Amino acid sequence: MRFRAKIVDLACLNHFSRVINTIAKLAKTCTLRLTVSKLYFILSDKVANGGVSMWCELCQGNFFDEFQMEGVAVEHNEIYLELVPENLSRALKTAQSAKAVKIKLTNKHCPCLRVAVELPSLSSSSRIVTHDIPVGVIPRRLWNDFREPSVPDFDVSIYLPVLKTMKSVVERMKNLSNSIVIEANSNGEMNLKIETDLVSVTTHFKDLGNPPWTSEDGCQSSAQDRDLESMAEARIDIRKLQQLLAGQQVNPTKALCNIVSKRIVHFILLHEDVSLQYFIPALA
Amino acid sequence: MPFSAQPPASGEPYVLTASLDNARHLSSLLRAVHFQDHATCFATANGLRVTVEDAKCIQANAFIQAEIFQEFAVQEESVTFRINLSVLLDCLTIFGTSSLPGTSTALRMCYRGYGYPLMLFLEEGGVVTVCKINTQEPDQLLDFDFCSTKVVNKIILQSEGLREAFAELDMTSEVLQITMSPDKPYFRLSTFGNAGSAHLDYPRDSDLMETFHCNQTQTNRYKISLLKPSTKALALSCKVSIRTDAQGFLSLQYMIRNEDGQICFVEYYCCPDEDITEAEM
């Protein structure tokens, strides 16, 4: 098992840091899956997470100038590591004006991701700051726990409103209630609602647009057959939604959510080089 | 009680209806008196007064005259209700607090009367938020009986002179001592904290001093924890009037200019902690 990678381009480095910062806001601990072409940050829906799950996918070629990965075995050419993304985020904070960052999997006393940040220096020799981030190697027999979640059979799929507005509204609502209801229809309308003994607040978004999904046989999904105005809704933990919105450092190219009434809300946030899926289950 | 996303047309049985193009004209003033969760709202044809009290010693009032609103109609002589001010502020600022140039939140407020919730309709950029906030029985409010005929000492200062002083008050001191006198030190703020005493003197001929009418030397102490929230009002204001009466009751009146240049007032009344006469000093 070997892993070595290097980033030299400052823009790629900052982009990678931003991705890690977003992941760090969403998960205390997560699984990093390395393949020849991609990196995945995975959080599977354990009870400890409150049933939330996350799947974030990056193409290594868009970030790394050098990338060498040899998996646990030839026929299973992948590595699964358990790590605390906040540690990686902190290590990358020192790399804001770095000349290069090298990441290597080591096992001196225990498995670690060694992040070596080469910083510019006035003298001829570079300054190197090294961070050893402890990781857990996840054995192959557990890899099935981390499979890509499938897109649920949703009732409504809708583009999200401008994230800045959605973030402000959800932040205020978080002061007023622990849970929030997201409802949306196939007519581009979405409502965010909270209701307590003291107060009820509803925010109405219009003209959001509904993404066109085609099912595997090439037909438009049955979601189009339902009454356009009928709402699908789910009540979710407001802090989980706020964490997702607060973690977005850059506006995504596409942002949408799929609602399975009373079951789960599936958020998809797409940037040029990164795709993030986040599942928040409905509260009982 | 169901409600639609459309604000009610006029002619509906609302005892209070008000419209404001920029909700910040209301929310920033309410923040200046937000040191307790609950507030009493009092509306007459003249406008809206929001009162917050604490410990039976301090009272803050925010006045928003009817002229500030684009529409302000009160169907009875006066309308009074108690409301959770923290919730009201969260609703008024639902679209965020940062003031981007050219964007503002429009507000419509409706109240059906005793027992009904306060309805807010807020709109920004085509997005509409509807809030329904429960109201409660209004409290009996303190009457400080502070009137201009009983004022012993009065000064009017430009707020910028006091802002830094108030922001940096030594909070390890239990009291803020205010001395006002026709003689030196004229106007002095003192604290007595863990690190020692601090005195800040303002000369009567200072540029910041607009009015100086001190007839008698008075030194009064006020609980610093009660006065500290007034810093928010001071931060917003351009001028402040400081008055004391014979009992040492303090009145702080803040003149606040909003984004459109309109004037509003916030006042704080505070009971003295102890009386120290000149002889004891």
Side-chain angles (χ1 to χ4, degrees):
Chain A
M1 205 170 35
R2 273 178 34 128
F3 172 61
R4 255 172 206 273
K6 183 170 166 187
I7 306 180
V8 168
D9 181 84
L10 200 55
C12 290
L13 181 54
N14 288 333
H15 192 13
F16 187 65
S17 298
R18 280 197 296 271
V19 174
I20 304 301
N21 291 342
T22 301
I23 302 294
K25 289 209 163 71
L26 294 176
K28 272 220 188 80
T29 316
C30 71
T31 300
L32 168 59
R33 173 187 172 200
L34 300 164
T35 68
V36 162
S37 54
K38 291 196 180 177
L39 289 92
Y40 303 81
F41 291 93
I42 305 167
L43 185 64
S44 51
D45 58 353
K46 303 264 156 44
V47 170
N49 305 327
V52 156
S53 56
M54 171 184 76
W55 182 271
C56 179
E57 204 173 296
L58 303 80
C59 282
Q60 59 89 345
N62 290 329
F63 295 89
F64 294 91
D65 295 283
E66 285 170 29
F67 193 91
Q68 294 156 28
M69 199 278 312
E70 264 171 46
V72 298
V74 170
E75 60 277 13
H76 301 285
N77 197 16
E78 301 185 1
I79 301 175
Y80 283 66
L81 300 171
E82 187 177 346
L83 64 71
V84 172
E86 173 65 26
N87 290 341
L88 187 51
S89 173
R90 259 194 250 127
L92 291 173
K93 272 202 196 2
T94 57
Q96 274 169 9
S97 49
K99 284 165 68 175
V101 170
K102 288 190 194 157
I103 305 180
K104 180 177 165 186
L105 183 59
T106 65
N107 194 4
K108 293 262 159 68
H109 306 285
C110 64
C112 276
L113 270 185
R114 170 160 292 178
V115 179
V117 179
E118 190 183 331
L119 293 167
S121 116
L122 291 174
S123 68
S124 53
S125 55
S126 297
R127 277 187 305 140
I128 300 191
V129 178
T130 306
H131 304 257
D132 280 339
I133 299 167
V135 295
V137 177
I138 299 177
R140 199 157 48 76
R141 64 171 196 280
L142 296 177
W143 286 10
N144 267 337
D145 290 349
F146 306 103
R147 276 174 305 173
E148 179 169 3
S150 47
V151 175
D153 194 14
F154 52 79
D155 296 307
V156 167
S157 177
I158 189 166
Y159 288 114
L160 294 181
V162 171
L163 285 195
K164 183 167 172 293
T165 309
M166 196 174 173
K167 192 174 6 171
S168 297
V169 169
V170 172
E171 243 166 52
R172 288 285 178 279
M173 287 182 167
K174 186 166 83 79
N175 293 340
L176 303 171
S177 168
N178 289 330
S179 68
I180 185 173
V181 171
I182 301 188
E183 65 174 23
N185 63 21
S186 300
N187 202 22
E189 291 165 350
M190 175 190 281
N191 299 327
L192 297 176
K193 307 196 291 199
I194 59 117
E195 185 166 343
T196 68
D197 290 338
L198 277 180
V199 61
S200 57
V201 181
T202 304
T203 298
H204 304 266
F205 297 95
K206 286 204 200 354
D207 300 324
L208 294 175
N210 302 89
W213 286 84
T214 50
S215 57
E216 270 151 17
D217 55 9
C219 308
Q220 288 288 310
S221 85
S222 61
Q224 222 202 5
D225 298 336
R226 22 174 328 123
D227 170 25
L228 283 187
E229 307 244 321
S230 124
M231 293 273 178
E233 64 158 65
R235 174 186 301 277
I236 59 175
D237 182 337
I238 204 172
R239 284 160 302 181
K240 302 274 185 275
L241 177 57
Q242 195 260 340
Q243 268 175 332
L244 173 65
L245 296 172
Q248 295 305 302
Q249 306 203 311
V250 182
N251 273 334
T253 334
K254 265 201 172 70
L256 58 112
C257 76
N258 300 324
I259 305 178
V260 181
S261 251
K262 298 196 175 26
R263 299 287 293 277
I264 197 160
V265 184
H266 172 212
F267 294 90
I268 304 180
L269 300 160
L270 297 173
H271 297 79
E272 268 169 33
D273 310 325
V274 184
S275 77
L276 174 63
Q277 295 182 57
Y278 199 69
F279 296 79
I280 307 181
L283 294 169
Chain B
M1 192 169 66
F3 56 91
S4 71
Q6 293 300 313
S10 42
E12 296 269 349
Y14 287 91
V15 302
L16 168 64
T17 43
S19 294
L20 202 46
D21 283 346
N22 184 349
R24 272 195 299 275
H25 289 343
L26 180 59
S27 60
S28 55
L29 253 86
L30 294 184
R31 267 213 229 101
V33 300
H34 181 215
F35 56 86
Q36 287 284 286
D37 271 344
H38 284 93
T40 301
C41 296
F42 179 73
T44 65
N46 293 333
L48 184 65
R49 184 187 82 206
V50 179
T51 305
V52 178
E53 286 183 351
D54 189 13
K56 301 231 177 297
C57 301
I58 187 153
Q59 180 185 89
N61 295 293
F63 295 93
I64 308 102
Q65 318 86 283
E67 292 74 41
I68 305 285
F69 294 87
Q70 274 61 58
E71 182 197 328
F72 194 85
V74 180
Q75 300 306 330
E76 294 169 0
E77 215 178 285
S78 71
V79 170
T80 312
F81 54 84
R82 185 168 172 263
I83 197 164
N84 187 314
L85 184 56
S86 309
V87 170
L88 176 57
L89 276 168
D90 278 327
C91 291
L92 289 173
T93 57
I94 194 88
F95 293 113
T97 47
S98 64
S99 39
L100 284 175
T103 62
S104 63
T105 306
L107 166 71
R108 188 164 170 82
M109 219 163 52
C110 307
Y111 177 62
R112 255 211 170 100
Y114 181 76
Y116 285 92
L118 179 68
M119 305 278 292
L120 303 176
F121 300 87
L122 297 122
E123 185 266 325
E124 183 173 308
V127 181
V128 173
T129 297
V130 183
C131 309
K132 196 167 68 145
I133 310 174
N134 285 340
T135 58
Q136 291 113 33
E137 199 74 46
D139 275 335
Q140 186 74 351
L141 293 176
L142 296 170
D143 182 3
F144 282 76
D145 195 24
F146 198 102
C147 62
S148 25
T149 51
K150 296 188 181 169
V151 170
V152 170
N153 289 325
K154 166 177 172 168
I155 67 173
I156 299 184
L157 270 177
Q158 286 185 15
S159 301
E160 59 177 290
L162 272 183
R163 271 198 268 270
E164 212 175 304
F166 262 75
E168 293 177 356
L169 279 180
D170 181 0
M171 294 307 289
T172 65
S173 168
E174 268 194 41
V175 297
L176 173 65
Q177 178 173 288
I178 301 183
T179 302
M180 290 164 86
S181 170
D183 309 309
K184 280 204 174 132
Y186 304 116
F187 178 53
R188 169 178 282 182
L189 299 174
S190 308
T191 53
F192 311 92
N194 293 340
S197 356
H199 304 283
L200 191 51
D201 291 353
Y202 292 82
R204 64 176 294 168
D205 55 3
S206 153
D207 281 343
L208 302 163
M209 199 71 79
E210 280 200 12
T211 303
F212 190 90
H213 292 312
C214 289
N215 303 312
Q216 206 182 97
T217 299
Q218 279 187 311
T219 298
N220 290 297
R221 292 180 168 195
Y222 306 92
K223 275 208 164 39
I224 209 170
S225 56
L226 294 179
L227 275 186
K228 184 69 176 165
S230 68
T231 315
K232 281 192 267 201
L234 184 61
L236 286 177
S237 67
C238 45
K239 273 193 230 191
V240 54
S241 113
I242 305 174
R243 302 177 301 164
T244 50
D245 68 8
Q247 274 78 46
F249 280 68
L250 176 69
S251 151
L252 301 166
Q253 288 183 317
Y254 302 90
M255 183 164 109
I256 297 172
R257 220 177 269 279
N258 68 21
E259 283 163 39
D260 290 345
Q262 297 163 309
I263 306 267
C264 289
F265 287 93
V266 166
E267 67 191 6
Y268 273 72
Y269 290 118
C270 195
C271 305
D273 200 39
E274 284 169 270
D275 260 350
I276 304 182
T277 63
E278 194 182 339
E280 289 178 60
M281 252 169 60

